[in-house]
Every structure is written in structure tokens, then in C-alpha cells.
Amino acid sequence: MGYKDVYEHSLADPEAFWMEAAEAIDWVKKPSKALFDDAAPLYEWYKDAQVNTCWNAVDRHVVSGRGDQAAIIHDSPVTHTKHEITFAELQTRVASLAGALRAKGVEKGDRVIIYMPMVPEALEAMLACARLGAVHSVVFGGFAAHELAVRIDDCTPKAIIAASCGIEPGRVVHYKPLLDGAIEQSTHKPDFCVIFQREQEVAQLTEGRDFDWHAFQYGVEPADCVPVSGDHPAYILYTSGTTGAPKGVVRATAGHLVALNWSMKNIYDVNPGEVFWAASDVGWVVGHSYICYGPLIHGNTTIVFEGKPVGTPDAGTFWRVISEHNVRSFFTAPTAFRAIKRDDPEGKLIRDYDISCLRALYLAGERADPDTIEWAQKIMGVPVYDHWWQTETGWAIAGNPAGLEALPVKIGSPTVAMPGYDVQILDEGGHEVPPGTLGAIAVKLPLPPGTLPVLWDAEARYVKSYLTTYPGYYETGDAGMKDDDGYLWIMARTDDVINVAGHRLSTGAMEEVLAGHPDVAECAVIGISDALKGQAPVGFVCLTKGVNRPHEEIARECVSRVRDQIGPVAAFKLAVVVDRLPKTRSGKILRGIMVKIADGQDYKMPATIDDPAILDEIRTALQGIGLAK
Ligand code: COA
Ligand code: AMP
């Protein structure tokens, strides 16, 4: 069957489609059916099954004869080390870690926060939780203590597993002081912490609370896989929403297993035993789905790459990793390619490596601009497939199903909807618009397996954020259109979420931090176009009456405040003091127009604007920091 038949079958008979896909998973107790819709519009998949994720990602491959195959290759140019872990070794290591966690009281359903850099131990920690049925929540290393504290209070973990440090080019990221700071700030306190000490920095352990990763495993009984029900949360992953409070996306166990396993062959076109590489970070959804779970569940070797596309040591690193480890399919964010192109515009470094093992490049996480796609295609000589998805969905909403049927690429489009996703473009009234017309992108409910069933401890927020604007649909938060061939075109977010270097960030969260500055009366943060990172945040602050300190000093304080409270990942480097913000007569800040001014685009003066002269003031302020023409 080609794509069209498979897709139509998935919508016409989801029950048959997803029960068939479920056969690739090892069940302790098979599901009696796929979809459970009795609580619609909340849906569950394979709810009455019993299953274990770690068994499917690790143990079953040892049983089926893959014990000696590399499960994980750690390639770390920042520490100048490389090593492999086989499936058999992974099983021993994960069972031991899970046993040690259980000996300290971690049980099915308990939450465990993982705060680690790109080391195999991060995956082992995730898998050890999965082995016990504990619910992990990985926090990206580029977030500051405050963001970690917010997540601790939201998911109330019994334990936190962290590394002593991470390594960014040119600096060591001291995880332990960040962890200590977060626990000090949070209301909820974990029972204990496990610290993986790295050679580059040995952290001071807090007596009675912190345990050394190796020492706490001595003499413990390794743990077997604990069966959980199909709807049991496999993990919580926080992502940015409109406000400062991040959304805890829940991933249900069984749907996650089935959907990721299906995607490995049909989308990424890899067979078990082959090497798959996603250059992202375990702190993001791409890292969860395609560094850890997807490849391992499918019996692929995964690469944990601790480095950057450029500077570790040069723009040829990706080519080295692909050729050295025989990578078949490679997945990264367009920003990485823009960075390589900037350093090596003619792609000279690729000539030093034989990358003939590679079949395709997959891009996602942000809009893939045509220049970058064309450049990548030209220098790599393989198809470049853009695909579109979100933390919430956990796998591609739209993509090119290369393993099923490679469809013609239209540059600028992530191709077509994947099975189970009935993607529609809606107008403001919730009616489907004709092809070629821009609208809100929504997915008719139910979403397929693997997607979020709810937000952690926030069902009402889930319903309000995603299911209310268009009853009967999931609102993606993206705007775009479909063309006559059913290809999707993703244009922009419809909310205050921006995308910086493939990292999803909330301007609302940054505004909350700026508003906390004692001299700031009012503020706005917008995302302006950035040639490397896609977008970059810029903050505008109006000062409280009577404050007459130098504006540059206040702007600098604003920049360090965002770095201290949200983290370096916010890449918040530009703030400017203005007298007033442009608003409508009803008081809504005109952020969209501010973006257009910053980007040097034309705009239409809104009829509802309170005072058009403010726009000139904004332009002058932006020019003062080297933006806007
Ligand atoms: N831990 C701690 N700090 C981190 C971090 C981590 N895991 N990841 C990033 N940071 C820091 C960076 O060091 C940087 O700090 P600085 O302000 O002191 O320089 C800051 O966060 C911003 O990072 P980033 O936006 O990534 O910019 P960069 O200049 O360091 O790197 C690229 C630019 C293009 C090389 C980098 O963004 C990249 O590799 N992008 C690929 C995109 C990607 O993998 N996205 C993941 C989603 S699929
Ligand atoms: P995240 O949840 O961090 O994966 O971010 C998801 C958001 O990133 C989406 O809602 C889009 O706005 C954007 N995004 C992801 N992939 C693409 C893509 N291929 N094209 C355009 N935007 C994308």
C-alpha cells in the first residue's frame, strides 16, 4: 500500500490500523481494543493493556539476539571521548540503576526529575524510571534554577537525578549549584538526589540527601520490568505556553510505544540494527522520541552526541559522526545547518568524509527556510525531508513517509499529514477553508496514539488550551494552509510562543521576569527575525515614574534577570527602555506591528491604535540597538 491508501485506512478504520501497528510491541497483556473514547473529548489508547517501555526498548532486543549490538554510541567532541554500550550492557546498567532507585523507595507512579547533559547516563536514567513505572520529567540543562524549581513544584518528584556538570563550548555548566538553588527555591522537596559525577567537575554532595550514582548501586538487587497499564504516564515533559507556567505534557505509555515504533520505519526509513542519529538534546521532545525511545524500541543504534554543529571542533563534525558511525538517517533542526553554512558556506569540510551511508536528512523543530534546505540538499546529495510536530504530539503530524513511499518534496512544506492525523485548516468560526487559504491548523479529534492525553495535574488547562477554541478539534497553535495536493504549509504561531534555535520559548514567561524588575512598570517581549536562530527575543520596558537611572544599566539588568531566572537557553540579549508601548484603544499591546518594524517589513496602521506616534518612538528605540531600518 502507498501513502494515500495507508493514510485513508488510518482515518476510516483507526481501530484496525492501530491494532495492527500494536502487534510490533511486546505486551504483558494485549489491549482488547485501541481507542477508549468514553471520556471524550479526552481519549486514551490501549488503556486496558499491560506493558513496560523499558522491556520494549532494551530487554526484548537482548532476548531476540541483539545483545551485542550497540544500543548507544556516545560521541562527545567536548570531552574528546567516544564509547559504545551494547543492548546487553544497557540492560545490566538500567536494571541496576532501577534497583537502586527502588531500594530508596521509588515505585510505580512516583515522579523523578532528570537534569543531565548529553551523556548515556541520561538515557539510562529515563529507562530505569520506565523499568519501574516511575514517571520521569527531564529538564533541559540550559534552564536556570528557577525554571527547575517551577517543575519540581509542579510534578513533586520523589527523586532528582542530575549530573555534576555539563560542558558547553568554552564553559562548564555547574549543574549542582543550580540543582541546590532550585531545591532551595521550591516548596516541594525531593526525598533524595542521585548525582552522576563527571571527571570535568566533581560536585559537593549534601550529606543525607545526595547519593553518588555508582556508590548507591553497590549491592542492590537489579530490578525487573514492572508492567503498567496502557494509559500510565511514561513521562512528563514541560514546554512553553502563553504564560510563565510551563505546560506539563503527559505521554501515555502504550500509544507512545506503538506510534514511535511505527514512525521509525515508515517515516525515518531505518530497519532494526541500523544506526539512527538525532542531533538534539534529551531535554527536548526530539531527544525523548528520537534519541532515546524511538530508535531503541525499534532495535536501532542511537547516537548521543555531546557537541555542537560548529566549533566542536569545526563545521565538519556532523559529517565525521555520520561517516564514522555509519548513520542511515539523520535528524536535526534547521538552525544547525544555518550554523554550518555560515562557517563553511561552500561545504568544503564535507569533502573530507564519506557520507555515502546516509539515506536522508530530516529537519524539524522550527520552520525550515528554503535556502537552508537547498543548501543541505546540494552539499549532502541526499533527500532533505522537513517534518512538522510538537512536544504535545511526540511524533510527526506531517512529514514525508519515506519508508512507506517517498513523496515528491515541495521545498517549504513539511509534506502531508501522517496516519491518524486528520489535519484541517479552519477559519475563525471553526469551518474548514478551501485549499490555498490561510487559517488555524487544527487536528480533528481523536489525536492518534503517542500524542498527549492531558496536561499533568491540569485537565482544565488542557481542555482550555487545546480543545476549546474549535470544539471537536485539537488546536495546534500554528497557522498555515493546505495546497491542492494536500501538502501542508506552516506559516506562524498563533500565540506568544517563539522559536529560537529550534527551542520553543514563551515571550509571556520573559515578560513576567521583566515585570518583576523593581524599576519596570510595563513591558513587552517580541520575537524578531534572526538569520541564524530563526527568531530572537527583544524586550521593551517602560520605567516606573520617578526612576532616573541610566537606561543602559536597567536594560543590562533586564538581560541578566532573564538569564538568571529562565536560563541561557532564552538567548535574551536585547532589551531597550521606551517611554510608552503601542496599544489599541482597549489597551492591547500591538506586538505584531512591533515585530514588523523590527524586521523592516511594511505594516498597515491598525484603525484601533491609540496613538500612532508611538510607533516612531519604537522604531527609534530599535535603531538605537542596531535593529530596524
Ligand atoms: N546546557 C547549558 N547551557 C546551554 C545548553 C545546555 N544544554 N544548550 C545551550 N546552552 C546555552 C548556550 O551555551 C548559550 O549560552 P551563552 O549565551 O552563554 O552563549 C545559550 O544557551 C543559547 O544557546 P543557543 O541558542 O543554542 O546558541 P549557541 O550560540 O550556543 O549555539 C547553535 C548556536 C546554532 C550552534 C545551536 O543553537 C545549535 O546547535 N542548534 C541546533 C538546534 C537544536 O539542536 N535544537 C534542538 C531542538 S530539535
Ligand atoms: P516544540 O514543541 O518545541 O517541538 O515546538 C513545536 C513548534 O515548533 C510547532 O508548533 C511549530 O510552531 C514549530 N515547528 C516545529 N517543526 C516545524 C516545521 N517543520 N516547520 C515549521 N514550524 C515547526
Side-chain angles (χ1 to χ4, degrees):
M1 270 204 281
Y3 159 76
K4 196 166 172 287
D5 291 336
V6 169
Y7 179 69
E8 280 169 7
H9 172 51
S10 78
L11 294 192
D13 192 355
E15 202 53 41
F17 183 89
W18 291 114
M19 282 307 270
E20 196 189 316
E23 279 172 23
I25 296 305
D26 271 15
W27 303 97
V28 176
K29 179 176 162 260
K30 283 197 169 178
S32 67
K33 58 175 185 164
L35 182 65
F36 289 73
D37 59 1
D38 31 305
L42 304 184
Y43 297 89
E44 300 282 2
W45 292 92
Y46 315 108
K47 187 177 172 162
D48 65 0
Q50 289 286 315
V51 68
N52 182 277
T53 298
C54 185
W55 173 271
N56 278 280
V58 183
D59 301 60
R60 68 161 168 167
H61 302 307
V62 179
V63 173
S64 73
R66 292 192 184 284
D68 293 337
Q69 180 192 317
I72 299 173
I73 299 173
H74 186 219
D75 188 307
S76 170
V78 294
T79 59
H80 309 286
T81 58
K82 284 177 228 171
H83 77 284
E84 294 189 5
I85 298 170
T86 64
F87 273 104
E89 287 163 347
L90 187 60
Q91 183 186 32
T92 309
R93 293 163 72 112
V94 170
S96 164
L97 179 62
L101 289 170
R102 189 177 54 192
K104 288 256 169 303
V106 174
E107 304 276 356
K108 188 190 318 195
D110 288 338
R111 273 82 57 212
V112 175
I113 280 188
I114 299 172
Y115 189 49
M116 296 181 94
M118 286 296 287
V119 290
E121 286 76 6
L123 278 67
E124 289 171 11
M126 295 161 83
L127 292 163
C129 290
R131 197 168 185 86
L132 298 174
V135 183
H136 64 67
S137 186
V138 182
V139 179
F140 178 62
F143 282 121
H146 173 73
E147 287 292 315
L148 181 55
V150 167
R151 287 155 176 77
I152 294 173
D153 279 333
D154 196 72
C155 75
T156 59
K158 188 169 256 180
I160 300 183
I161 306 178
S164 55
C165 69
I167 296 137
E168 281 293 288
R171 80 188 154 99
V172 170
V173 184
H174 312 288
Y175 275 58
K176 188 58 184 6
L178 292 169
L179 172 66
D180 292 342
I183 295 176
E184 208 175 291
Q185 284 178 42
S186 62
T187 311
H188 170 85
K189 310 289 177 197
D191 289 359
F192 68 98
C193 299
V194 179
I195 309 298
F196 175 67
Q197 300 278 21
R198 301 192 72 188
E199 258 172 44
Q200 292 74 16
E201 179 167 278
V202 177
Q204 188 85 37
L205 302 189
T206 305
E207 179 91 38
R209 187 198 73 189
D210 298 343
F211 297 93
D212 172 77
W213 171 281
H214 294 291
F216 106 124
Q217 296 185 43
Y218 287 146
V220 298
E221 182 78 11
D224 283 336
C225 296
V226 176
V228 300
S229 63
D231 61 339
H232 183 77
Y235 67 76
I236 304 163
L237 179 58
Y238 288 90
T239 189
S240 301
T242 301
T243 67
K247 293 167 164 170
V249 168
V250 170
R251 191 81 54 218
T253 301
H256 182 229
L257 285 164
V258 175
L260 291 188
N261 187 71
W262 185 91
S263 71
M264 291 307 298
K265 174 65 195 162
N266 291 289
I267 299 178
Y268 300 106
D269 196 17
V270 282
N271 296 311
E274 293 181 334
V275 182
F276 177 84
W277 178 26
S280 175
D281 189 285
V282 283
W284 307 114
V285 71
V286 175
H288 281 62
S289 296
Y290 295 112
I291 295 174
C292 184
Y293 290 113
L296 295 180
I297 292 165
H298 194 246
N300 292 106
T301 300
T302 185
I303 296 182
V304 172
F305 173 71
E306 190 179 22
K308 303 273 171 179
V310 293
T312 60
D314 57 31
T317 307
F318 277 6
W319 322 135
R320 175 190 64 76
V321 174
I322 291 169
S323 96
E324 214 168 285
H325 304 302
N326 200 23
V327 173
R328 295 294 165 151
S329 291
F330 175 44
F331 177 172
T332 193
T335 299
F337 270 80
R338 288 194 293 267
I340 296 171
K341 184 174 161 213
R342 194 179 58 175
D343 275 22
D344 179 18
E346 288 161 37
K348 286 194 179 127
L349 293 174
I350 204 167
R351 297 176 204 149
D352 298 340
Y353 302 93
D354 175 5
I355 64 156
S356 57
C357 52
L358 191 75
R359 280 198 284 258
L361 166 68
Y362 294 79
L363 297 175
E366 60 180 318
R367 189 176 160 267
D369 54 291
D371 280 356
T372 303
I373 298 181
E374 279 163 8
W375 184 81
Q377 236 162 23
K378 191 176 93 198
I379 68 148
M380 294 175 80
V382 295
V384 179
Y385 300 127
D386 181 16
H387 60 322
W388 167 65
W389 50 294
Q390 323 180 297
T391 305
E392 288 84 345
T393 64
W395 65 288
I397 311 173
N400 198 321
L404 182 66
E405 178 191 355
L407 299 175
V409 169
K410 293 193 191 183
I411 291 185
S413 160
T415 319
V416 290
M418 287 297 93
Y421 289 101
D422 185 355
V423 181
Q424 300 186 11
I425 312 296
L426 305 180
D427 65 16
E428 279 176 8
H431 304 292
E432 202 173 359
V433 299
T437 313
L438 209 63
I441 314 181
V443 186
K444 200 158 189 324
L445 293 172
L447 291 172
T451 56
L452 83 171
V454 74
L455 293 175
W456 178 256
D457 200 20
E459 187 180 304
R461 187 178 181 196
Y462 170 66
V463 172
K464 184 162 179 280
S465 306
Y466 301 104
L467 310 183
T468 303
T469 312
Y470 306 108
Y473 291 86
Y474 165 83
E475 185 183 3
T476 64
D478 284 303
M481 61 185 183
K482 244 190 226 178
D483 67 15
D484 288 324
D485 301 322
Y487 279 53
L488 282 159
W489 300 80
I490 317 301
M491 312 308 271
R493 288 286 304 189
T494 55
D495 55 13
D496 297 329
V497 165
I498 59 170
N499 201 312
V500 181
H503 306 141
R504 174 165 157 186
L505 299 166
S506 159
T507 55
M510 294 185 220
E511 287 175 3
E512 282 177 29
V513 172
L514 298 183
H517 187 292
D519 294 344
V520 170
E522 200 180 15
C523 64
V525 174
I526 58 168
I528 63 164
S529 296
D530 183 90
L532 174 66
K533 298 190 179 183
Q535 282 184 298
V538 179
F540 296 82
V541 295
C542 304
L543 303 184
T544 314
K545 255 203 175 69
V547 172
N548 53 13
R549 296 168 50 218
H551 288 180
E552 291 73 24
E553 194 176 305
I554 295 174
R556 267 199 307 278
E557 287 165 9
C558 287
V559 167
S560 50
R561 232 181 139 78
V562 173
R563 190 176 174 95
D564 289 347
Q565 293 194 23
I566 296 182
V569 64
F572 185 84
K573 308 246 153 122
L574 293 170
V576 59
V577 175
V578 291
D579 285 339
R580 308 174 290 173
L581 293 169
K583 290 184 186 166
T584 61
R585 279 190 284 276
S586 60
K588 197 169 169 289
I589 299 172
L590 292 160
R591 292 182 179 76
I593 292 207
M594 293 164 79
V595 172
K596 289 210 160 100
I597 294 173
D599 289 351
Q601 285 177 18
D602 294 339
Y603 59 87
K604 223 172 91 200
M605 185 69 72
T608 55
I609 192 163
D610 187 34
D611 179 359
I614 304 180
L615 295 182
D616 291 328
E617 295 172 23
I618 293 292
R619 186 187 308 278
T620 308
L622 282 164
Q623 284 165 345
I625 53 169
L627 299 168
K629 290 188 200 106

